[in-house]
Amino acid sequence: MKKVFIGFILILVMISCAEQSKNAVITQQAIDKAVAGLVSDGQSDKQSIEKGVKQVARLWQAQDGSEDEFIRFCAENYIALPDEKQAVFLKISDYMEAISGHFNEMSLQLQRQVEEATGELHRIDEMFSAYNPGTHINDDFYENKLAFIIALNFPQLSLAEKENLGNDRLAWAYARLGGMFTARIPANVQQTASAANNEAEVYISQYNIYAGHLLNREGKTIFPEDMVLLAHWNMRDEIKANYNKGEAGFDKQQTIYEAMKRIIAQEIPTAAINSGAVDWNPFTNTVYQSGNEVNTSPEGLVRYEKILKQFKAAQTVDAYTGNTYIDRNFSESMEISLEDTEILLRNYLTAPELKEVGKIIADRLGRNLEAFDIWYDGFKTRSRLDEQKLTEQTSRLYPDAAAFERQMPAILRKLGFSAERATYLADRIEVDAARGSGHAWGASMKGQKAHLRTRIPKEGMDYKGYNIAIHEFGHNVEQTLSLYDVDYYMMNGVPNTAFTEALAFVFQQRDLALLGIETNYETSADKDKADILDKAWRLYEISGVSLVEMEYWKWLYAHPDATAAQLKETVIRVAKEVWNTYYAPVFGIRDETVLAVYSHTVEYPLYLSAYAFGQIIEFQLEEYLNGKDFATEVDRIFRLGRLTPNQWMLQATGQPLSAEPLLEKLRATAL
Ligand SMILES: [Zn+2]
């Protein structure tokens, strides 16, 4: 896990746009006049003038001034000379670093008591920790016109334009600044969007299935009386947990899967949602109270009404950004276009190797594959470690946070960093005893330290805590390199969380080696084989669910007046189509709807593909680092900063984002 200060950063990553919106108060005539004035003034690039002026016009609201004032503003604030522009850029960067850094410092201090193990909490601590001093920054920057100056001179680039910047680091840095002020969404519109979101979150958070009251095909209860499963996560995990448990396990899996299908089809009786008052047989879809069958009504459409509400809310935002939620999610937030995402996922889903993995799984199970076997979990190798012995070692080595902090240079040396680099990095990381399970909280300006929060019991750090601490340490190293050692502050960071998670996992995997336990370090061929099979199957599953969601969001934008009933019909149709195209050839069964079961799709629309990319990116980076001079490569790669994901991967590994390395390893190791 990784934590960052969310103020500017979030705003600049999340919100941006392209075309003139219908809510702007500046007419095309005024835009033309402002552009013509600037072009006749100097010989500067007309294209970039137009870009900047249009962006300012889109952001300009009535309270910012009249059209004449808008034209005068553009004339007075456009910087034509490249040297002046660069000098101004560097000044803005310094100011932004100071602002972000100090807001981060405030957040660190305001949340310190609740995050660190500092003793008993008072209600006042929680109130201060909930206070976000950065809430009004954006409004302030429009009011004082700084946002307009930035938009005018450093306009936003499209994803395609960014992809073409290559190694022009200054242009990249300008583009990152240009991503900061790109849309001004009125508070009431934002509130509508977050209300739809909250409503969906509440709906999902209370969507429990009382497994103790689920009946199997024979009408018998088979789960522990008090077992409650949150849809879909816990239901999926219960399916995973019942592999290798014989007929009884298979019975449980089938029963849960029947319940899932009823949720997707919305045939689930309302009485069976979040309640143990009745017994429910999902095979026959009948409900019993004290053993007698009772009538109840099906849920109907609620799930799809919630999704539709999210879509409607997104549309109201579209009016201010001039693009769609699909664009904002893919091209702007993730910075991988919908088209590229689709190509990558579809290519992977058609890989012939998956059929062979399916056969291996069916062999291991000794039966034909069922649809829920997309969650087959039997490749995970059970750890043969003596955890108690490891805990003895870690608690002796790390009795408290200070001991871990002192040891950081030594850990980095063992990973291959020079003494000088090890000290340099460790000096910029502070270790705190965490109240919870811990996290890595990065710095936002040079001179500030990253924080490694780790749980340390009185008896010293246990092995589990140590294993997590090494993971967080990986995050901190990334955070430090990508802040202190990038050429431009505006480029600090990584393209998205998958890139920092990758380094964290690479560190974490070396945890035993760092304790000097080379012999137990599981690198056997069997483990490698099981590992790659597991990864290939997990990516297969998440690629399908991502694709289903993308398909029906495209359909929604093509059918903006759709009803919840039509949406339901479409989601089910799309889920079956994706299944029949990519899964039926492997599973040998058709028309399954399981790919539509994810709860994320209601709560956080279009987020699923980020998981698919996370898996691809981590694998690709791990494979690249494997066998290379680890420290040198990490030191080089994480200075690249916040390029687009594809450019980052190209410059880091020489290869574009691709699932091909995973398939290659699958062929070489397991098939
Ligand atoms: Zn993490």
Side-chain angles (χ1 to χ4, degrees), residues 1-2 471-472 475 501 504:
M1 182 183 164
K2 174 193 102 127
H471 173 100
E472 305 302 350
H475 280 307
E501 288 303 337

Side-chain angles (χ1 to χ4, degrees), residues 191-208 230-233 299 302-313 325 549 552-553 598-606:
Q191 266 156 26
T192 312
S194 52
N197 206 242
N198 285 343
E199 201 185 300
E201 262 178 52
V202 171
Y203 170 70
I204 291 298
S205 71
Q206 297 174 355
Y207 211 113
N208 290 299
L230 184 64
H232 74 288
W233 296 278
E299 189 181 19
V302 184
R303 179 179 177 89
Y304 299 97
E305 280 162 2
K306 303 289 176 202
I307 299 175
L308 198 59
K309 209 162 179 177
Q310 296 263 39
F311 170 65
K312 297 282 177 201
Y325 180 70
E549 189 181 37
Y552 76 73
W553 267 82
Y598 265 63
S599 290
H600 301 74
T601 205
V602 182
E603 246 184 320
Y604 315 109
L606 294 178

Side-chain angles (χ1 to χ4, degrees), residues 337-636:
S337 71
L338 175 91
E339 294 73 22
D340 286 350
T341 305
E342 210 181 311
I343 291 170
L344 203 139
L345 297 183
R346 285 189 192 273
N347 279 345
Y348 183 73
L349 287 167
T350 44
E353 291 84 353
L354 294 171
K355 216 168 180 173
E356 293 182 56
V357 181
K359 274 193 206 121
I360 294 174
I361 295 173
D363 275 355
R364 286 176 157 227
L365 291 170
R367 59 164 168 79
N368 291 332
L369 290 181
E370 300 278 342
F372 56 76
D373 291 325
I374 57 171
W375 294 303
Y376 176 72
D377 201 36
F379 290 129
K380 294 250 165 58
T381 41
R382 281 182 59 82
S383 169
R384 288 177 299 273
L385 299 171
D386 182 347
E387 223 178 285
Q388 190 159 359
K389 231 178 112 192
L390 289 169
T391 291
E392 277 166 28
Q393 192 179 351
T394 55
S395 58
R396 201 166 358 99
L397 275 170
Y398 309 115
D400 51 29
F404 194 89
E405 188 170 304
R406 275 195 307 274
Q407 290 295 312
M408 282 193 299
I411 295 173
L412 290 167
R413 290 297 307 272
K414 283 185 193 158
L415 288 169
F417 287 89
S418 68
E420 185 210 355
R421 289 301 286 168
T423 311
Y424 173 87
L425 290 167
D427 279 351
R428 286 158 181 79
I429 300 166
E430 180 180 314
V431 183
D432 314 310
R435 195 178 285 280
S437 66
H439 57 246
W441 184 319
S444 291
M445 66 178 185
K446 289 180 274 298
Q448 194 169 53
K449 287 186 179 190
H451 288 253
L452 193 167
R453 259 88 181 246
T454 176
R455 194 178 182 83
I456 304 189
K458 278 198 307 291
E459 308 75 41
M461 195 180 255
D462 57 30
Y463 170 67
K464 276 204 179 71
Y466 162 79
N467 174 271
I468 297 170
I470 295 294
H471 173 100
E472 305 302 350
F473 190 28
H475 280 307
N476 291 131
V477 167
E478 172 275 301
Q479 289 162 345
T480 303
L481 286 170
S482 69
L483 170 69
Y484 279 87
D485 293 348
V486 286
D487 43 7
Y488 295 106
Y489 177 73
M490 279 297 153
M491 292 299 289
N492 82 80
V494 283
N496 61 46
T497 49
F499 292 81
T500 178
E501 288 303 337
L503 189 64
F505 283 116
V506 169
F507 266 60
Q508 194 173 8
Q509 277 174 358
R510 286 158 171 74
D511 72 328
L512 291 176
L514 289 170
L515 289 175
I517 307 173
E518 296 291 353
T519 44
N520 279 10
Y521 193 51
E522 296 175 52
T523 50
S524 66
D526 276 357
K527 165 117 180 5
D528 270 3
K529 188 175 162 178
D531 225 45
I532 186 68
L533 285 166
D534 187 56
K535 282 178 176 157
W537 201 245
R538 279 199 298 130
L539 183 59
Y540 184 34
E541 181 255 358
I542 200 74
S543 297
V545 298
S546 307
L547 195 59
V548 168
E549 189 181 37
M550 287 158 64
E551 284 301 309
Y552 76 73
W553 267 82
K554 285 198 282 187
W555 180 89
L556 272 172
Y557 269 103
H559 302 83
D561 299 319
T563 62
Q566 289 167 326
L567 174 62
K568 172 179 135 179
E569 195 189 310
T570 303
V571 172
I572 291 172
R573 173 179 56 77
V574 167
K576 285 183 185 173
E577 277 169 14
V578 172
W579 179 272
N580 289 343
T581 312
Y582 301 111
Y583 294 79
V586 176
F587 283 71
I589 38 180
R590 291 183 64 80
D591 289 336
E592 295 290 338
T593 56
V594 63
L595 300 172
V597 79
Y598 265 63
S599 290
H600 301 74
T601 205
V602 182
E603 246 184 320
Y604 315 109
L606 294 178
Y607 189 75
L608 290 175
S609 50
Y611 290 115
F613 276 109
Q615 291 179 22
I616 292 169
I617 288 161
E618 274 173 41
F619 187 85
Q620 216 175 337
L621 193 63
E622 279 175 33
E623 275 304 286
Y624 175 78
L625 288 171
N626 200 2
K628 303 235 174 21
D629 181 343
F630 178 76
T632 311
E633 288 297 320
V634 167
D635 227 342
R636 174 184 70 84

